Amino acid sequence: MPPPSDIVKVAIEWPGAFPKLMEIDQKKPLSAIIKEVCEGWSLGNHENFALQNADSTNFYITEKNRNDIKNGSILRLTTSPSQMAGQLHERIQSSSMDAKLEALKDLANSSRDVTFAQEFINLDGISLLTQMVESGTERYQKLQKIMKPCFGDLLSFTLTAFVELMDHGIVSWDTFSVAFIKKIAGYVNKSAMDTAVLQRSLAILESMVLNSQDLYQKVAQEITIGQLIPHLQGTDQDIQTYTIAVINALFLKAPEDKRQFDESSVNILDCPLTEMAHILAQKQLRSIILSNVIRSPKPINDEMAHQLYVLQVLTFNLLEDRMMTKMDPQDQAQRDIIFELRRIAFDVECEPNNSGSIEKRKSMYTRDYKKLGFINHVNPAMDFTQIPPGMLALDNMLYFARHHQDAYIRIVLENSSREDKHECPFGRSSIELTKMLCEILKVGELPSENCHDFHPMFFTHDRSFEEFFCICIQLLNKTWKEMRATSEDFNKVMQVVREQIMRALTQKPNSLDQLKSRLQNLSYTEILKIRQSERMNQEDFQSRPILELREKIQPEIMELIKQQRLNRLCDGTCFRKISSRRRQGGCLSLSLTHSLTHSLTHSLTHSLTHSLTHSLTHTHTEKEFVPVADMKAVVTGKDCPHMKEKGSLKQNKEVQELAFSVLYESDEYLNFIAPDKHEYCVWTDGLNALLGKEMTSDFTKSDMDTLLSMEMKLRLLDLENIQIPEAPPPIPKEPSNYDFVYDCN
């Protein structure tokens, strides 16, 4: 007979004693269990003791997370969180350097546990740590020359404990003084600083900037590009990653008016990060990142790739203002740009007002604007009133005309000599191409939280977007000729060019020259071959009868996927409660009544017996059962309550796309972090299915494609009267004797 589900068999350790094997009744109060354990070892004052996991986490067992205890778990009887917090609070104020160092080391380790952290924070522990950083370190600096390793460790453990405690989100970042910010910034600005101290200082600055607009202003006044560049020139990739993360955070939080400035009037090294818009494109910082990070012998890890991706996105987002600015046809300065394009293309100077009649000059301008490929030959300024791409298209055209003059003149004159029907309109092409490139590079969109898709080639040139345009406009003209296109084929040509660019970008060229070479190989003929090859693999499934059959059986497959998701929810999943630096186990399961598991299409009004069993630690609720009828919605990612206050540190980015919350009753939430992407999709799909909503995860689409393809193939085989065996063929037996030789003769 199986043991009761409420009884858990565990081992409990106590220093200096032989471990005990016990059966824990989960129905009994935790205090009663601790009292029983203490009495077994003749220990009094059981309220001063607690149980914790005897693993690498050492997290305390509480009433909220006790259901995570499994059969065979090893627990440890230890000092209660309040007692431990009080002892460490006293020990870190010791006058003995060795005692203080040991206490701070213990504090840094214990602070990962939210239960301990809450107790230590209740003793005003955060304030004590900040005071030690602000004033106490000056005392230690006098000893730094003779006790340098000890000083570095002391400060390192102090900052580690601070980061761990703040990471729980219990204390607001807005509570810190300017003196503390200056101290942390000072550690970053020093040329020679302990690696651990520097890393934690950079992490603290990043969190300050991301979590408080007021602190952003103060941090930005303390840090300059020149002070951060030495950290990029080092060899420690973690330090480089945190340095770029600080730059990204400051840039991300900078007000719009601070992102634009005249770079010719300032020194890049002394420029505050509040005025860093075009600095990111300046040669010095870009070349340092290129040579010391991207082209470093060390492989780029995922977090560094993400930070480089964020930097790339933020740099391209500087183009958004021009992209969303319409041209003012009455603005003479803007009109002069169009005159400059005409002058370079046809080698003509602006005629004085008295040269010829007005009608003659208008006719001449109209003729030239037509050759330049504008849609509006009379007033080409009207072509740039569409947003996007707005004035950005005109900027690109002018850059191409000035910096690649020969190619520009060749394209314009080559097309102006063709028949009207076969000319590739340079003006119209440039506008549409600029719009396409903005879509491909997602100009104006915020960086994704879990994307690593940076392109090394964009760090090889100060004007990478403009150079990218110049390469692509020449590709467009080449493809136009290869397709022998006419004006009616304009959209088809743009589709081919988009495919050429996308296929080249997927190969991640290291330089713009490599991009040019790969685009050269992706001719229109090559694109046709690739399309033909792909079509051959899909051709059998694109005929009308097959498509109709797919459409007919798709609801059955979707119902099968839905049933699988709900069955998976019945099995339950262990979830971890994760802050940005710690993990704590938990378990969530969903139970469905037997009568309803066979009919998943019942309305929720008939599903009152469905319930969520919840045993994770939650700050807003201690309910264990939530009727499905009370569930209102499922929210994911940044919209989750437990993700809104998170910064952009590495660990936070890793979990934000795995977060989901269940809203029930009136603004009550159950918050979860899935252990992996698969579990995340299973649970969000299953919960949405319970709510009668569409399942939209990538895994659902993948499962739908796989099952549909398999079902279609089986049905086609059945039509051919091919017998499919019920059981798979037997696996060949392993040879009993491996002492043999194959005779090639």
Side-chain angles (χ1 to χ4, degrees), residues 18 25 55 185 383 505 519 645:
F18 194 77
D25 186 351
D55 55 17
D383 289 10
L505 288 179
L519 288 173
E645 298 302 322

Short mmCIF file of all heavy atoms in Angstrom, two decimals, residues 18 25 55 185 383 505 519 645:
data_model
loop_
_atom_site.label_atom_id
_atom_site.label_comp_id
_atom_site.label_asym_id
_atom_site.label_seq_id
_atom_site.Cartn_x
_atom_site.Cartn_y
_atom_site.Cartn_z
N PHE A 18 24.63 12.27 14.44
CA PHE A 18 24.32 11.37 13.34
C PHE A 18 22.99 11.78 12.71
O PHE A 18 22.03 12.06 13.43
CB PHE A 18 24.24 9.93 13.87
CG PHE A 18 24.27 8.90 12.78
CD1 PHE A 18 25.46 8.56 12.14
CD2 PHE A 18 23.10 8.27 12.37
CE1 PHE A 18 25.48 7.61 11.14
CE2 PHE A 18 23.12 7.33 11.36
CZ PHE A 18 24.32 6.99 10.74
N ASP A 25 5.00 14.93 8.44
CA ASP A 25 3.58 15.06 8.10
C ASP A 25 3.33 16.49 7.65
O ASP A 25 3.41 17.44 8.44
CB ASP A 25 2.71 14.72 9.32
CG ASP A 25 1.22 14.69 8.97
OD1 ASP A 25 0.88 15.08 7.84
OD2 ASP A 25 0.42 14.28 9.82
N ASP A 55 21.70 21.56 0.56
CA ASP A 55 22.32 21.51 -0.76
C ASP A 55 23.08 22.80 -0.97
O ASP A 55 23.35 23.55 -0.03
CB ASP A 55 21.26 21.30 -1.85
CG ASP A 55 20.16 22.34 -1.80
OD1 ASP A 55 20.37 23.40 -1.16
OD2 ASP A 55 19.08 22.11 -2.39
N ALA A 185 30.57 54.75 -8.21
CA ALA A 185 31.13 55.27 -9.46
C ALA A 185 32.65 55.41 -9.35
O ALA A 185 33.38 55.20 -10.33
CB ALA A 185 30.50 56.62 -9.80
N ASP A 383 7.82 63.33 -52.65
CA ASP A 383 8.12 61.90 -52.51
C ASP A 383 8.57 61.56 -51.09
O ASP A 383 8.50 60.40 -50.68
CB ASP A 383 9.22 61.50 -53.49
CG ASP A 383 8.73 61.48 -54.94
OD1 ASP A 383 7.61 61.97 -55.18
OD2 ASP A 383 9.46 60.98 -55.81
N LEU A 505 22.34 38.17 -44.66
CA LEU A 505 22.48 38.53 -43.24
C LEU A 505 22.49 37.30 -42.34
O LEU A 505 23.12 37.31 -41.28
CB LEU A 505 21.34 39.46 -42.81
CG LEU A 505 21.40 40.90 -43.33
CD1 LEU A 505 20.20 41.70 -42.85
CD2 LEU A 505 22.69 41.59 -42.90
N LEU A 519 26.38 38.94 -51.35
CA LEU A 519 25.27 39.42 -52.18
C LEU A 519 25.58 39.23 -53.66
O LEU A 519 24.67 38.98 -54.47
CB LEU A 519 24.98 40.89 -51.88
CG LEU A 519 24.31 41.20 -50.53
CD1 LEU A 519 24.24 42.70 -50.29
CD2 LEU A 519 22.92 40.60 -50.48
N GLU A 645 9.64 45.11 -12.21
CA GLU A 645 10.68 45.85 -11.52
C GLU A 645 12.07 45.31 -11.82
O GLU A 645 13.05 45.78 -11.27
CB GLU A 645 10.44 45.80 -10.00
CG GLU A 645 9.14 46.45 -9.56
CD GLU A 645 9.05 47.91 -9.98
OE1 GLU A 645 10.08 48.59 -9.93
OE2 GLU A 645 7.96 48.35 -10.37
#
